[in-house]
Amino acid sequence: MANDDERIALFLDYENLAIGARDGLGVEPFAFGPVADALAERGRVVVRRAYADWSGFDADRRLMARAQVELIEIPQRIGGSRKNAADIKLAVDAIELAYERNFITTFAIGTGDSDFTPLMHKLRELDKRVIGIGVQSSTSALLPPACDEFLFYDRLPGVEPVRAPRRPRAHGRDRATASPVQEPPPQPSADVGSEAVADVEDSAASTDDGDVGALMARTLAGLQRHSDGPVLASRLKRAVLRKDPTFDEADHGFRGFGELLRNLENQGVVVLRRGTAQGDPEVTLPEDSSADEEAFQLLAQVVHDLADSGGPPQLSGLKNHLRKRAPNFTEKRYGFNNFLSFAKAARARGLVAMEWDDDAGDYLLRLPG
């Protein structure tokens, strides 16, 4: 195992995240998988801790335990503030770990609370990279600038809001002390019963025989976004194993990972180039591949047909129309995290036009011109 991977310690202010996801996105219980996948693309998570009064999170507690997260209990004390107890315990543990475990290079802090900005500044003083994670509608505007990188939970692949993000209602654990970070119109979440199911199917099928290419393309795209240099085959496989430790290319009929990659290259999913070491090629996504163009042209054709029959179609539900014509369609096979990113790529190529419509609460698509 190479030693060039980031070693990440993950600390979750769980009540802040869970309540923010519930009130802002309608997601309950909190889905930890998208966070784990995002960090797996950045390095090895060697510590996972979540802080909460777990008596109020029975379903969450079971899910987090299955995800190998250490649950730190912060019980309600008479006359005391559970909020302050959780904040101080998390901060003390993080600083202690920073001094005791020199091999840890990165701290991922999951919270939207600006009270943690001093902790993030101190960790960076100690030469640690800091990744923040928070729900956009409940994240203080002071928090992202204190981090080297900030991941909005709403935007992570696999997170499916059941309503548009909004500011959470007031309650004891709403702790952002500044206005939440503002953004352009949120990604629409209408038609959850169909669009969300399609994405869940993509995730569940990511390691099926017919969709191993989607897993590779999605992981490779994530590595390319967060890497300054080339992605070697060995690094790609480590990232895939961090996402799915049960992955084995033999299950898909290949004798080695290199053989699997060569097969995917023949399918136009990846491109292989000579790497720095023999037997460890550089892996990239194809540029302007015919498969990509076919997918974009399919989108443009569906938009054209729907516009002729009933006006500009909404983005929500559009993926299902593509699947009626191409049942195996998934944007992840082309390296896109979600369907909105795929549609924006088609817009960048001049194949479709997209406009946000306040009345529909969604993007409307049409052909340009």
Side-chain angles (χ1 to χ4, degrees):
M1 181 66 71
N3 294 318
D4 57 352
D5 290 324
E6 295 289 317
R7 273 84 66 192
I8 303 173
L10 173 63
F11 290 81
L12 299 178
D13 178 12
Y14 191 80
E15 293 187 42
N16 182 282
L17 287 177
I19 292 175
R22 182 195 69 193
D23 291 352
L25 305 174
V27 174
E28 189 176 18
F30 182 79
F32 176 71
V35 175
D37 282 351
L39 294 179
E41 294 172 353
R42 291 160 173 81
R44 296 171 54 212
V45 181
V46 296
V47 175
R48 296 181 177 188
R49 297 180 185 173
Y51 297 74
D53 179 355
W54 293 102
S55 62
F57 295 94
D58 278 342
D60 303 63
R61 178 172 55 192
R62 291 190 292 272
L63 292 173
M64 297 297 282
R66 293 192 192 108
Q68 310 301 313
V69 177
E70 181 183 0
L71 307 182
I72 308 299
E73 180 71 35
I74 307 294
Q76 180 67 60
R77 295 182 176 88
I78 298 176
S81 170
R82 186 178 69 204
K83 167 193 178 300
N84 290 336
D87 290 0
I88 294 171
K89 174 64 173 169
L90 190 156
V92 168
D93 286 356
I95 293 297
E96 181 181 43
L97 202 67
Y99 278 104
E100 289 186 349
R101 303 288 189 269
N102 289 330
F103 61 84
I104 293 178
T105 60
T106 302
F107 281 78
I109 311 295
T111 185
D113 188 352
S114 62
D115 289 351
F116 284 100
T117 52
L119 169 64
M120 288 153 169
H121 287 308
K122 178 57 67 176
L123 289 171
R124 294 176 74 180
E125 283 182 25
L126 296 173
D127 197 27
K128 305 297 184 182
R129 185 167 182 265
V130 176
I131 299 174
I133 305 165
V135 178
Q136 182 143 7
S137 60
S138 59
T139 292
S140 167
L142 300 176
L143 205 57
C147 304
D148 295 292
E149 182 180 8
F150 199 92
L151 306 178
F152 284 116
Y153 179 73
D154 324 40
R155 303 178 187 176
L156 295 180
V159 175
E160 294 298 331
V162 299
R163 57 173 172 263
R166 59 177 177 80
R167 279 196 77 166
R169 58 180 179 273
H171 47 62
R173 292 291 290 171
D174 283 342
R175 305 179 323 195
T177 57
S179 299
V181 176
Q182 300 298 316
E183 71 162 354
Q187 178 177 340
S189 56
D191 196 19
V192 172
S194 54
E195 195 80 16
V197 168
D199 283 330
V200 169
E201 290 173 351
D202 286 348
S203 177
S206 61
T207 56
D208 287 348
D209 288 346
D211 246 351
V212 66
L215 173 64
M216 294 299 159
R218 187 169 68 251
T219 305
L220 178 57
L223 290 174
Q224 288 181 333
R225 284 195 302 273
H226 310 299
S227 174
D228 295 330
V231 178
L232 300 178
S234 57
R235 185 181 176 197
L236 174 60
K237 183 170 183 179
R238 291 199 300 272
V240 169
L241 286 171
R242 288 194 294 264
K243 287 187 174 185
D244 179 9
T246 67
F247 173 81
D248 187 341
E249 57 270 11
D251 294 338
H252 305 280
F254 300 99
R255 292 167 293 185
F257 192 65
E259 184 179 351
L260 168 61
L261 290 179
R262 288 191 293 273
N263 179 269
L264 294 178
E265 183 180 38
N266 292 335
Q267 297 180 35
V269 177
V270 300
V271 174
L272 301 181
R273 299 189 179 97
R274 183 181 296 275
T276 55
Q278 186 175 2
D280 194 10
E282 178 184 335
V283 190
T284 62
L285 292 171
E287 297 180 0
D288 299 325
S289 71
S290 58
D292 289 3
E293 290 306 314
E294 288 178 9
F296 290 129
Q297 290 294 338
L298 174 63
L299 173 63
Q301 185 61 49
V302 170
V303 169
H304 174 270
D305 294 346
L306 291 176
D308 281 349
S309 60
Q314 298 182 12
L315 180 68
S316 298
L318 188 57
K319 181 175 178 177
N320 291 315
H321 287 284
L322 268 69
R323 283 190 156 177
K324 290 178 182 178
R325 304 191 185 190
N328 293 326
F329 171 82
T330 170
E331 70 281 356
K332 296 175 177 61
R333 191 173 182 84
Y334 310 104
F336 296 99
N337 282 336
N338 51 53
F339 189 67
L340 175 60
S341 297
F342 176 78
K344 287 182 176 179
R347 179 180 64 182
R349 288 162 172 78
L351 298 174
V352 298
M354 291 174 56
E355 295 179 356
W356 179 261
D357 186 273
D358 288 330
D359 293 334
D362 200 350
Y363 288 101
L364 299 183
L365 281 78
R366 57 177 176 79
L367 295 184

